[in-house]
Amino acid sequence: MNQPKVQGTLLGFDYGLRRIGVAVGQTVTQTANPLTILPADNGKADWEQIADLIREWRPAALVVGIPAHADGSDNELSPRARRFARQLQGRFGKPVYSVDEHLSSHAAASTGERRPGEAIDDLAAARILEDWLKQ
């Protein structure tokens, strides 16, 4: 799938039931960096914290990782991640794109940037965003 012609800063999200990882990236460099990990209450986002990030970074678009099984089929979290993506678009009026993220957490854990047991959601968000940028 070809990505739309979006230019500038992007925010990427690794949606989860307990945490939502956030990364910031640039279309020019096609790179992303971990930004923060936001708490989630059974998948419910802290919309004020997300609004603060959007005000601060003024992204041209948002990218949400959609979890899937290895064969590409939906898993139990897929519908909730899609709903989160729709809510982002509805609340902030920014273009929202999605990307398959079924191996992002595994890839983030294998970087060695965090000690075992430390949250890696922001690293996973950076991987999601970079994967989308390189499509």
Side-chain angles (χ1 to χ4, degrees):
M1 168 172 53
N2 293 329
Q3 74 178 21
K5 298 294 180 191
V6 175
Q7 296 296 315
T9 301
L10 304 171
L11 289 181
F13 295 87
D14 177 35
Y15 174 81
L17 296 179
R18 293 182 294 149
R19 294 179 300 273
I20 298 170
V22 186
V24 62
Q26 275 293 324
T27 57
V28 173
T29 60
Q30 292 193 335
T31 59
N33 294 303
L35 186 59
T36 191
I37 299 173
L38 303 176
D41 180 14
N42 193 29
K44 293 179 183 153
D46 184 330
W47 294 109
E48 278 304 310
Q49 286 186 327
I50 292 173
D52 289 345
L53 291 172
I54 289 174
R55 276 191 293 275
E56 179 180 352
W57 291 96
R58 294 188 278 168
L62 310 172
V63 177
V64 177
I66 306 297
H69 292 294
D71 66 1
S73 64
D74 280 359
N75 69 20
E76 62 281 351
L77 198 54
S78 304
R80 292 181 80 164
R82 283 191 192 91
R83 182 173 185 260
F84 173 71
R86 288 190 306 271
Q87 289 175 320
L88 281 171
Q89 200 284 321
R91 286 175 180 265
F92 302 109
K94 302 274 183 191
V96 178
Y97 303 99
S98 62
V99 65
D100 176 9
E101 62 100 351
H102 78 272
L103 293 178
S104 64
S105 293
H106 177 72
S110 68
T111 65
E113 292 184 43
R114 303 277 166 85
R115 291 189 298 265
E118 279 188 291
I120 57 168
D121 307 85
D122 55 341
L123 293 173
R127 178 63 181 249
I128 288 164
L129 189 48
E130 283 188 346
D131 286 349
W132 186 84
L133 285 165
K134 292 176 180 170
Q135 288 182 358

